[in-house]
Each structure stands twice: as structure tokens, then as C-alpha cells.
Amino acid sequence: MSRRIALSVAAGVVVLGGAGAGAFALAYAGEQPPALADSAARYTAPDGGRDGSLTFATEVTASSGTKSVKVLAWPEKSSLGEKGLTEKDMAAAEPAVCAPLGGDTVRCTYTVKVTAADAASSPRGAWQIAVLATAKDGTTTLDTTAADFTVR
């Protein structure tokens, strides 16, 4: 076998080996759970006959696409805080509305009106926002403390 053919074969093995590693990396990346970033909450108490609001926003990146994002606000001093929040607890949580940001990332927002009666019956103090993000491939991410706010 000539030296030229041997070099071509060796180069082909390197290229195919690199493609195989790339395919493995892409397959592995496809199985990653959704990632949350830039999560923030804003609570405005009702005032003088006007309703308040709770707004939460986060960015979710999922290589297979985002199927759903559920949001739950919960007081730190509660049974949820004591036992730890689970995905099962999030089944009845309310959905966020998501809009594409580009690539595999969406910006999700959850807003709820807070009436004077809601505020009066809510525990005072620190609250947490829990988020359950589900990708189209079925992988999930649960962040039980994605953001926080204070009810005074």
C-alpha cells in the first residue's frame, strides 16, 4: 500500500471518529433536562382599592423544545417548606405563558392578580416560587426556589 493511500485511510478514520464523537455529544445533549435562567419574581400588594399582582419570569432552554412550565408560589413557613416540594405537588400548579427567544430558549411569564382578600388571608413573610419545566422529550427540571418575594 502506498504512503498516500495509508495517509488517506488514516485521515478518514480520524474524520469518522470525530463525527462519531460529535454524534454522541449531540445525542447526549438531547437528553439533558431543561435549564432555567434569569428567574425573577415581583410582588405588588393591593393598595387603596386597586388589586396587586405577582409576576414571575424565567428563561427555559431545552434542546428538544419546551413542552410546559408550571409555577407555584408557596410560603417558606408552610408544610411544603417542611416536607420539601416534589414534582407530584406541582401537578396542580398553574402554567406559565412562554414565547420563543431564539434557538432552544423560551421566555416564560406567570402573572396572577392579588386582591385585598387574597393579601389579607396570605401568610406574611418570605415566599418562594417553584417551577417545573418539562421538555418535549419528557425530561424535567424542578426548581423549588427559583425566585422569592416577601408578603408584608
Side-chain angles (χ1 to χ4, degrees):
M1 173 166 34
S2 76
R3 182 182 167 130
R4 185 175 193 179
I5 293 173
L7 289 175
S8 295
V9 169
V13 168
V14 169
V15 169
L16 287 176
F24 174 75
L26 286 175
Y28 181 74
E31 297 172 7
Q32 296 297 308
L36 303 174
D38 299 325
S39 299
R42 184 179 68 231
Y43 174 77
T44 305
D47 184 33
R50 280 185 279 159
D51 290 333
S53 65
L54 170 62
T55 301
F56 170 77
T58 192
E59 293 178 7
V60 181
T61 302
S63 59
S64 67
T66 301
K67 179 179 178 182
S68 68
V69 175
K70 292 187 171 190
V71 178
L72 177 67
W74 58 278
E76 277 186 5
K77 294 182 180 178
S78 69
S79 61
L80 291 176
E82 292 171 11
K83 72 172 186 146
L85 199 60
T86 67
E87 287 189 20
K88 186 176 177 182
D89 295 321
M90 296 295 290
E94 296 181 337
V97 176
C98 300
L101 269 183
D104 298 330
T105 304
V106 294
R107 177 96 175 145
C108 301
T109 305
Y110 169 80
T111 302
V112 63
K113 179 174 66 171
V114 179
T115 66
D118 293 333
S121 65
S122 295
R124 302 289 181 249
W127 284 61
Q128 296 291 326
I129 301 282
V131 179
L132 177 62
T134 304
K136 289 182 179 175
D137 66 7
T139 57
T140 60
T141 295
L142 173 61
D143 186 346
T144 60
T145 57
D148 58 28
F149 63 97
T150 302
V151 174
R152 299 179 198 265

